[in-house]
C-alpha cells in the first residue's frame, strides 16, 4: 500500500514506478471540496484520488508487486481496510509542510500491525526538517524506518519500496516480529 495525506505524492509514486499504465480513480476538485482539501501547498492540484491508484512492478519471473495507492482524505478512509487485505506492507508518504495530514495513515498501520515505512517526499528537492524532528512529531518508534525520497523519480520510489519489503521481511523472520 502507498498511503498518506492529500496531495503528498501517492499517485505520482505509483505512476513513476508502475510498469503498466496505472489505473487511477481521479475526480476533479470541486468548489465544495476546496474548503475540505487544503490545497495551499499544492495549488496546481486539480484532481484527487477517490478510490485508489493501482500499478505493478515485476520483482522476478515469478513475483509481481501490486501497488495500491490509497485516497488521502478521511472521507475515503473506509476503503483502507479492503486495500490492506493481503498487503505485505505500506509506504506512508509525508509532506513536512502538512505533517498532520499523515497522522491517520501512521495511526492506521500502527493499529493494524502492518509493517510500514515513513517516506518524506522531497518537495523542491530539499528536506525542510531534521529527520529526528520528523520522527518526534510523528511519535514513531525507532523500529519504523524513516527515509526520504522523491515520488517523481523511479529509482527513488524503487528504493523506498525496497525498504518496505526489507521491513516486512525482517518482521516476518524476527522471533518477536509479530509483537512490533
Amino acid at each position: 500500500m502507498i498511503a498518506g495525506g492529500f496531495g503528498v505524492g501517492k499517485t505520482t509514486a505509483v505512476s513513476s514506478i508502475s510498469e503498466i499504465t496505472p489505473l487511477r480513480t481521479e475526480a476533479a476538485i470541486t468548489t465544495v471540496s476546496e474548503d475540505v482539501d487544503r490545497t495551499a501547498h499544492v495549488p496546481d492540484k486539480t484532481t484527487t484520488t477517490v478510490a485508489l491508484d493501482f500499478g505493478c512492478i515485476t520483482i522476478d519471473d515469478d513475483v509481481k508487486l501490486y501497488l495500491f495507492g490509497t485516497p488521502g482524505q478521511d472521507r475515503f478512509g473506509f476503503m483502507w481496510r479492503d486495500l490492506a487485505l493481503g498487503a505485505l506492507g505500506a509506504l506512508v508518504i509525508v509532506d513536512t509542510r502538512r505533517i498532520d495530514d499523515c497522522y491517520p495513515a501512521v495511526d492506521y498501520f500502527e493499529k493494524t500491525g502492518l509493517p510500514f515505512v515513513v517516506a518524506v517526499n522531497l518537495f523542491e528537492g530539499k528536506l525542510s526538517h531534521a529527520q529526528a524532528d520528523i520522527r518526534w512529531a510523528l511519535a514513531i518508534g525507532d523500529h519504523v524506518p524513516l527515509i526520504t525520497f522523491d515520488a517523481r523519480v523511479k529509482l527513488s520510489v524503487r528504493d523506498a519500496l525496497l525498504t518496505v519489503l526489507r521491513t516486512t521481511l525482517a518482521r516476518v523472520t524476527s522471533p518477536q516480529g509479530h509483537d512490533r
Side-chain angles (χ1 to χ4, degrees):
M1 287 182 67
I2 299 177
F6 169 76
V8 297
K10 299 174 301 289
T11 299
T12 301
V14 171
S15 298
S16 294
I17 194 140
S18 181
E19 61 194 30
I20 63 168
T21 301
L23 168 68
R24 296 183 189 155
T25 57
E26 296 280 310
I29 296 175
T30 64
T31 307
V32 173
S33 69
E34 285 177 354
D35 292 336
V36 177
D37 302 325
R38 298 185 303 171
T39 59
H41 290 289
V42 285
D44 296 332
K45 188 165 179 59
T46 59
T47 62
T48 187
T49 301
V50 295
L52 63 101
D53 295 313
F54 173 77
C56 71
I57 55 175
T58 301
I59 303 298
D60 62 29
D61 290 340
D62 298 320
V63 178
K64 280 193 182 234
L65 183 63
Y66 295 106
L67 308 171
F68 293 90
T70 67
Q73 300 92 326
D74 289 341
R75 65 184 179 276
F76 300 120
F78 65 91
M79 299 190 60
W80 284 38
R81 188 178 60 110
D82 291 337
L83 292 175
L85 288 175
L88 296 174
L91 183 68
V92 176
I93 301 177
V94 174
D95 177 350
T96 57
R97 299 170 298 184
R98 298 171 293 128
I99 202 161
D100 56 323
D101 290 350
C102 75
Y103 292 144
V106 169
D107 290 346
Y108 180 84
F109 296 116
E110 284 181 336
K111 286 177 186 169
T112 63
L114 189 66
F116 70 99
V117 171
V118 174
V120 178
N121 196 358
L122 295 176
F123 287 92
E124 297 151 14
K126 62 183 177 182
L127 183 62
S128 57
H129 301 284
Q131 283 188 320
D133 294 339
I134 296 168
R135 183 175 294 283
W136 178 85
L138 296 175
I140 54 174
D142 291 337
H143 67 282
V144 177
L146 175 63
I147 62 172
T148 60
F149 88 125
D150 187 328
R152 301 166 298 180
V153 178
K154 181 178 184 173
L155 293 178
S156 187
V157 176
R158 178 206 63 189
D159 292 346
L161 292 173
L162 285 172
T163 303
V164 173
L165 290 174
R166 285 187 202 105
T167 300
T168 299
L169 183 59
R171 170 87 59 94
V172 298
T173 59
S174 167
Q176 309 85 12
H178 63 283
D179 294 335
R180 285 192 180 178

